[in-house]
Amino acid sequence: MNPVSLPLPPLRRAAALVLLGALALGGAAGCSTAADSAPRTPQEQARESSPTGTPTATPASASASTATDVGWVQLMTPMNQQAVKLLTLAAARAAEPRVRDFAVRLRTGQKAELDRLRALLTRMGLPGTDVHAGHDMPGMVTVRDLEAARAAEGPAFDRLVLVQIRDHLRQSAQVSRSEITSGRRADARELAAALVTAREASLAELERLPGAGRALG
């Protein structure tokens, strides 16, 4: 997580940070909630109305996706995947029983989110491959982070887990709020809202865990 230890070349690292920043500041260029209020063409109005003139629901899977929607789901999926790896270590090795219990429950929640994120990728016609492989993004558990966790023991391991999971929860909540405000797809925004709610609850619980005060400052 320390920027000094990032393995990416400066230009590549900067590009990764710009992507996260774009989402956090309101989405990719040219994407805004204005698309939701754009005038409907006659063809669109006809598709959205029944023969009686009563509006019918448009399936979320048929919604147009903006760059914000795509960027969010392609970032959140590997963020959850990497967090699950660290939580799996914590569930088995944390010195404090309450940290272990927290890791087990959070891992279950993150896996459930992964199922929904992967289903969303499929509905959007996006590949399941990690487009951020090799990138160091804020809140992303990296290969180096996992190596450091495997090498740590006892309270030092617990502190490392608490810091990295705290960062993961904070950053993924931040980019998910940007999807809520700047994304267009109803199903993506609904999932983003669920993620934010879950992360806020998890952060509150994490900060009450033994050792959290010292680890998190």
Side-chain angles (χ1 to χ4, degrees):
M1 296 292 181
N2 188 335
V4 175
S5 65
L6 294 177
L8 291 176
L11 289 178
R12 191 175 173 195
R13 185 190 316 155
L17 294 176
V18 165
L19 173 59
L20 184 68
L23 283 168
L25 292 175
C31 301
S32 73
T33 54
D36 293 326
S37 59
R40 304 290 188 182
T41 65
Q43 293 80 5
E44 290 173 327
Q45 292 174 355
R47 284 196 301 268
E48 293 174 4
S49 299
S50 67
T52 61
T54 303
T56 56
T58 300
S61 59
S63 306
S65 301
T66 65
T68 300
D69 298 321
V70 172
W72 174 75
V73 71
Q74 288 187 325
L75 177 59
M76 284 303 310
T77 303
M79 285 185 78
N80 268 37
Q81 288 171 342
Q82 291 299 104
V84 165
K85 294 177 183 179
L86 180 59
L87 290 166
T88 298
L89 289 176
R93 296 184 49 207
E96 167 57 51
R98 281 172 286 183
V99 174
R100 285 199 306 273
D101 292 344
F102 173 76
V104 169
R105 287 183 282 105
L106 184 57
R107 179 181 60 181
T108 298
Q110 297 269 301
K111 284 183 174 180
E113 290 174 359
L114 264 177
D115 289 341
R116 296 182 67 184
L117 288 163
R118 288 167 176 157
L120 180 58
L121 281 170
T122 299
R123 291 197 299 275
M124 293 171 70
L126 298 171
T129 53
D130 180 4
V131 299
H132 295 292
H135 296 181
D136 273 314
M137 310 287 285
M140 182 84 75
V141 176
T142 67
V143 172
R144 287 191 178 187
D145 293 332
L146 292 170
E147 290 173 350
R150 294 186 184 103
E153 296 180 358
F157 174 85
D158 289 7
R159 288 194 295 271
L160 183 151
V161 168
L162 290 172
V163 169
Q164 293 185 346
I165 293 302
R166 186 271 312 271
D167 291 348
H168 162 72
L169 292 171
R170 281 183 173 177
Q171 293 292 340
S172 55
Q174 181 178 351
V175 295
S176 293
R177 291 187 187 98
S178 295
E179 166 61 22
I180 294 168
T181 58
S182 299
R184 179 172 184 178
R185 289 183 64 99
D187 51 357
R189 294 167 68 185
E190 179 183 357
L191 179 52
L195 265 60
V196 169
T197 298
R199 275 146 182 70
E200 289 174 345
S202 295
L203 279 167
E205 183 178 358
L206 183 150
E207 290 168 359
R208 294 192 299 267
L209 290 173
R214 182 171 58 177
L216 305 178

